[in-house]
Amino acid sequence: MATSAPINEPVWQPHYVADPADEIAQVSAARPAIDFRYIVAAIRSNLLLIVAIVSTALAIAVVMTMLETPRYTARTTIQINASTSKVLGREQGEEEQAPDYDVDRALKTQIEVLKSRGLAQRVVQKLNLGSNPEFFASQEVEGIAPGTPAKALAEAAAGLVQGNLAVTLPRDSRVVTISWESTNPRMSALIANTYASEFIQADLQRKFDSSTYARSFISDQLAQTKARLEQSELALTAYSRGAGLIRTRDALVGGKEGEGNSGGSVTTGSLLQINTAANEATARRIEAEGRWKAVSAAPLLSSQAVLTNSNVTSLLTEKAKVEAELQQEKARHLDEYPTVKAKQQQLAVLNQQIQQAATNVRNGILAEYRAAVETERRLSEQVVQLKSATLSEQDRTVQYALLAREADTNREVYDGLLQRFKQLNASAGIALSNISIVDTAQIPGGPSSPNLFKNLMAALLLGLGLAAVIVFFKDQFDDSIRVPEDVESKLGMALLGVVPRSHSDEPTEALLDPKSPISEAYNSLRGSLLYSTAEGLPHVMLITSAQPSEGKTTSAVAIASSFARMGRSVLLIDADMRRPSLHRRIGYENERGLSSLLTSHDAIGTAILPSGQDNLSFLPSGPIPPSPTELVSTARMEDILQQAAAAHQVVIIDSPPILGLADSPTLSALADGVVFIVEADRSRRGSLKMALRRLRAMRPVLLGAVLTKFDPLKAGNQYSEYYGYDYYQYGNTQES
């Protein structure tokens, strides 16, 4: 029978959450970036498909290898030096080292030249491959029409030569490998060696052609420059005579910056000298003026210039001595005493001498100041006169300077071109190549292709890659839950428990055995539910699934029975009013139940039935109503759940499946928590995720998912061995 809840227990209220996406984000954030266990499980579940794809790829590789014609590759190696021969400005054979940043660029340029069609045409022309049937046979080219023009055959041969060429440049190396492949080993070696020799010849030819062009170009430029030089010299001489300028060219053109150009113009030199003297006179005048102002502004004997004068200093010293003697005499005699009067007269004479000496010093400073002023005035007048003369002269020398610079520029250009022309003539036809042959190609002793091992490895990698792509897309578009780890990765939900598949007994009978794997699984699920929320065990829990027959009803009975064995008051409600089944499991007729309460105002206790287990009560679904969705959407359903929660510690609701029905999403909004039942390894085509989207639209509290009917052996025992089901598989025959 139902037991009443404690009086101080809070009244149950429907529980709502703000946003179910937060729970998904938390689960996704906690999930590792690469789940290797999940990858292993995906491989095991698709092992036959992977084996079939890889086997097909290997079989195709074997068939293609057997059908392919053997081909032979000959290789020759050449060295491309970074230095180049200098033809201009140095002795023949002397080299110039290219900068480090240009080495790679030069090597890549040479590689592109090796691959060019022009070099291929040189090889064809050298060996006359256009009219060589053996060459076309080595390239498996048949059916050449008789009478084909030689030019067309040569072009076709050049294309074949270029197409079978391979050039390899190892990293941090200047040794280049030239490889050529055909079905004829002798032809492969011949063309590879010819490629190397023609490459060197082409390099030398380019240098010679470049030298010929340079000599012709410099010769033309030399003649033009000579004519310009003659014209500029004549124009300079004519202007110099007309303007009356003599020996000013060196000053205006040839003088270096900072020298003043004083050697070529007397007027300019005089201006510079007088200006320097005027500046010095100004400095002396300012200095003298400062001394005079200092002397005239202060008392005569307070000036520093007066006090530092040697004559004044000696007189002041003597005066101090006389004053000291006078004081001694006054101390011994009266003022009228002869010695006292003598000292006083001597002191008066010294004062007159000091005054006269100080006056002489001041007058001397004044005289220096006046002389400095006069000197500055005269020099300034001369500077003004010389400036006018210099400006007049500069007006006449501007044009002369322009003509002189033009003549000097033409002379320098002419001298440089003449020197280069002489060097080119001396070294014409002499060139050194920076390319040398290291190893010549030998006739291959065996075919280079087809290579069965390489083909098998390539097919294996291609098959594994294709299989990985197929398995990945298959896994992305399939929401079937095969292993427990799929719950978090595919559904974004916490895994509450895993219930194994019962192979021998019915699930109801297996639940009666407390040592059965199913019983242990639900006991583990009970522990998860006890701490599924921050408040502990939810008061009202809804048990639902996406589709029928996923173990929802069995799980509801097992969870309710498990909590009842703990001594908690549990009420199990059958809310599936379309296909009720709980009443048959417990052994009651479905005459009165939830539908009866929803269509009346009867108390909930009038429809609750005992289950035969202590602490567990049962509320059947009742007669099937015309519209169950409308009944569970009324306020009466919430009132019934409140009464049930007030009278019992735990309320378990067995609801209908989610897909196609609105009952479960509606009830989920009224429950404190929702337990989502998922059948393992059930074929689905997006139905599971669709059901979760419908459920999350009501913003319920999703406690997590329970994986039912899970077969560890089928999923790979090593993958899920930590669920402990192997222990029970051997528990009946071995001691634990």
Side-chain angles (χ1 to χ4, degrees):
M1 296 296 294
T3 59
S4 59
I7 298 176
N8 58 352
E9 184 173 345
V11 178
W12 175 84
Q13 294 293 336
H15 187 81
Y16 300 93
V17 294
D19 191 353
D22 295 339
E23 180 183 358
I24 303 174
Q26 294 176 0
V27 175
S28 300
R31 190 184 311 146
I34 300 178
D35 192 347
F36 292 100
R37 300 179 65 88
Y38 180 80
I39 294 175
V40 173
I43 293 175
R44 292 191 177 194
S45 61
N46 297 277
L47 187 59
L48 293 178
L49 176 62
I50 296 174
V51 171
I53 295 174
V54 173
S55 300
T56 302
L58 293 175
I60 294 174
V62 171
V63 172
M64 292 180 63
T65 302
M66 299 300 294
L67 295 177
E68 189 175 352
T69 303
R71 300 182 70 84
Y72 300 85
T73 302
R75 296 178 177 85
T76 183
T77 55
I78 60 175
Q79 179 180 349
I80 302 176
N81 297 320
S83 58
T84 56
S85 299
K86 283 295 294 182
V87 178
L88 303 180
R90 298 190 181 184
E91 295 181 1
Q92 185 242 330
E94 192 174 355
E95 295 182 344
E96 180 183 81
Q97 187 69 27
D100 292 338
Y101 57 84
D102 282 339
V103 172
D104 291 340
R105 186 180 302 174
L107 288 175
K108 292 178 180 178
T109 301
Q110 295 286 14
I111 297 301
E112 294 300 323
V113 173
L114 262 173
K115 298 177 181 179
S116 65
R117 187 172 183 83
L119 189 58
Q121 291 174 344
R122 288 180 64 99
V123 173
V124 170
Q125 184 178 2
K126 177 70 175 179
L127 299 177
N128 196 20
L129 298 180
S131 59
N132 189 346
E134 184 182 2
F135 168 75
F136 288 101
S138 68
Q139 297 301 306
E140 300 179 289
V141 176
E142 299 178 356
I144 298 178
T148 303
K151 184 177 180 181
L153 291 175
E155 289 295 327
L160 293 173
V161 168
Q162 188 180 15
N164 289 275
L165 174 70
V167 181
T168 305
L169 175 63
R171 185 179 180 86
D172 298 329
S173 175
R174 296 175 183 173
V175 177
V176 179
T177 301
I178 302 174
S179 304
W180 202 81
E181 184 184 63
S182 71
T183 60
N184 188 329
R186 190 188 66 83
M187 184 64 66
S188 296
L190 177 62
I191 293 181
N193 288 326
T194 305
Y195 242 110
S197 61
E198 287 301 312
F199 180 53
I200 296 175
Q201 292 296 327
D203 181 66
L204 294 174
Q205 184 66 41
R206 285 195 302 272
K207 291 180 179 179
F208 179 79
D209 294 342
S210 176
S211 175
T212 302
Y213 173 79
R215 284 186 288 115
S216 176
F217 176 78
I218 292 178
S219 177
D220 295 340
Q221 294 296 316
L222 192 62
Q224 297 176 13
T225 305
K226 182 179 180 181
R228 288 197 299 268
L229 176 60
E230 292 177 354
Q231 293 176 1
S232 60
E233 290 285 357
L234 291 175
L236 178 63
T237 303
Y239 182 80
S240 177
R241 290 178 178 177
L245 298 176
I246 301 175
R247 299 185 63 184
T248 59
R249 179 182 174 188
D250 294 337
L252 295 173
V253 179
K256 296 181 181 179
E257 183 180 357
E259 293 181 353
N261 301 331
S262 60
S265 174
V266 176
T267 304
T268 304
S270 300
L271 175 61
L272 293 175
Q273 293 176 0
I274 297 300
N275 186 63
T276 301
N279 291 336
E280 294 175 355
T282 300
R284 289 194 298 271
R285 189 266 304 167
I286 294 173
E287 181 181 0
E289 184 179 1
R291 288 199 304 270
W292 166 246
K293 288 183 178 180
V295 171
S296 61
L300 184 61
L301 293 178
S302 299
S303 172
Q304 183 68 23
V306 174
L307 292 177
T308 56
N309 185 269
S310 59
N311 189 22
V312 175
T313 302
S314 62
L315 290 174
L316 289 175
T317 302
E318 186 177 356
K319 177 184 176 181
K321 181 179 178 182
V322 172
E323 286 178 346
E325 293 175 353
L326 177 61
Q327 293 299 326
Q328 293 177 359
E329 291 295 331
K330 284 184 177 183
R332 293 194 299 265
H333 306 287
L334 297 174
D335 293 340
E336 299 298 330
Y337 195 76
T339 56
V340 173
K341 289 184 177 181
K343 293 295 180 182
Q344 289 177 348
Q345 292 176 359
Q346 185 179 0
L347 183 62
V349 172
L350 288 174
N351 287 332
Q352 292 177 359
Q353 292 177 351
I354 291 172
Q355 188 69 25
Q356 183 63 38
T359 302
N360 292 337
V361 171
R362 185 176 61 179
N363 292 336
I365 294 174
L366 177 60
E368 290 179 0
Y369 169 65
R370 290 175 177 175
V373 170
E374 181 64 19
T375 301
E376 180 187 18
R377 183 185 64 78
R378 291 182 179 181
L379 290 175
S380 298
E381 291 177 355
Q382 292 185 10
V383 168
V384 171
Q385 294 175 2
L386 289 173
K387 279 184 178 180
S388 176
T390 302
L391 292 174
S392 176
E393 185 181 65
Q394 286 180 350
D395 292 339
R396 298 194 306 272
T397 58
V398 169
Q399 184 63 27
Y400 181 87
L402 294 176
L403 295 174
R405 290 184 186 277
E406 182 180 359
D408 286 345
T409 301
N410 291 332
R411 182 177 294 105
E412 291 177 359
V413 174
Y414 179 79
D415 292 341
L417 289 174
L418 183 61
Q419 182 65 23
R420 292 298 177 116
F421 186 72
K422 292 178 180 179
Q423 292 174 348
L424 281 174
N425 286 332
S427 60
I430 301 177
L432 297 177
S433 177
N434 61 332
I435 305 169
S436 59
I437 297 177
V438 179
D439 290 323
T440 58
Q442 303 297 322
I443 297 177
S448 58
S449 66
N451 190 319
L452 180 60
F453 178 76
K454 289 184 178 179
N455 291 345
L456 288 177
M457 289 298 100
L460 178 62
L461 294 177
L462 181 62
L464 290 175
L466 181 61
V469 172
I470 292 176
V471 170
F472 173 77
F473 282 103
K474 180 182 176 184
D475 182 75
Q476 292 296 313
F477 290 102
D478 183 15
D479 60 355
S480 298
I481 307 300
R482 296 184 175 85
V483 292
E485 286 73 11
D486 287 349
V487 173
E488 291 187 1
S489 62
K490 291 186 177 182
L491 304 184
M493 298 177 63
L495 179 64
L496 295 175
V498 179
V499 180
R501 180 181 296 276
S502 177
H503 295 282
S504 57
D505 301 327
E506 291 294 328
T508 305
E509 297 178 1
L511 288 173
L512 298 177
D513 182 6
K515 293 184 178 181
S516 66
I518 294 181
S519 297
E520 287 293 339
Y522 281 111
N523 288 337
S524 176
L525 174 60
R526 177 186 62 192
S528 300
L529 291 175
L530 286 173
Y531 305 101
S532 57
T533 66
E535 293 80 12
L537 178 67
H539 205 168
V540 178
M541 289 183 290
L542 179 74
I543 313 298
T544 186
S545 63
Q547 296 175 337
S549 303
E550 296 199 47
K552 168 180 58 62
T553 300
T554 301
S555 297
V557 173
I559 294 171
S561 177
S562 179
F563 282 115
R565 287 196 298 271
M566 291 181 61
R568 301 204 178 194
S569 174
V570 182
L571 175 62
L572 178 60
I573 300 176
D574 187 357
D576 189 352
M577 291 180 287
R578 288 179 171 82
R579 294 175 59 183
S581 60
L582 279 177
H583 63 281
R584 289 193 295 270
R585 290 174 179 259
I586 301 178
Y588 285 100
E589 295 293 334
N590 197 19
E591 296 179 354
R592 182 176 174 79
L594 179 62
S595 61
S596 304
L597 297 176
L598 290 172
T599 56
S600 66
H601 294 282
D602 297 341
I604 187 174
T606 60
I608 294 178
L609 301 174
S611 65
Q613 180 182 348
D614 294 340
N615 301 319
L616 178 59
S617 301
F618 170 59
L619 177 60
S621 65
I624 299 176
S627 179
T629 303
E630 294 182 0
L631 291 180
V632 299
S633 301
T634 60
R636 175 63 176 162
M637 185 68 200
E638 183 176 343
D639 180 59
I640 293 173
L641 291 180
Q642 288 180 350
Q643 295 180 32
H648 300 83
Q649 293 177 317
V650 181
V651 178
I652 307 295
I653 305 174
D654 179 23
S655 68
I658 298 175
L659 290 179
L661 304 175
D663 300 7
S664 291
T666 303
L667 291 173
S668 66
L670 303 177
D672 292 333
V674 177
V675 178
F676 193 71
I677 306 299
V678 181
E679 181 182 351
D681 204 21
R682 182 167 181 172
S683 178
R684 308 175 192 273
R685 296 181 179 177
S687 60
L688 192 58
K689 294 182 179 179
M690 184 183 300
L692 283 175
R693 284 195 294 269
R694 290 195 58 198
L695 186 62
R696 286 186 172 120
M698 302 303 294
R699 302 181 182 274
V701 179
L702 291 175
L703 302 177
V706 177
L707 186 64
T708 61
K709 303 180 184 181
F710 174 63
D711 189 353
L713 296 177
K714 184 177 180 181
N717 194 36
Q718 293 181 356
Y719 182 77
S720 296
E721 60 186 1
Y722 53 86
Y723 291 103
Y725 302 135
D726 287 345
Y727 182 80
Y728 286 103
Q729 292 173 5
Y730 301 99
N732 296 330
T733 59
Q734 300 177 2
E735 289 188 9
S736 61

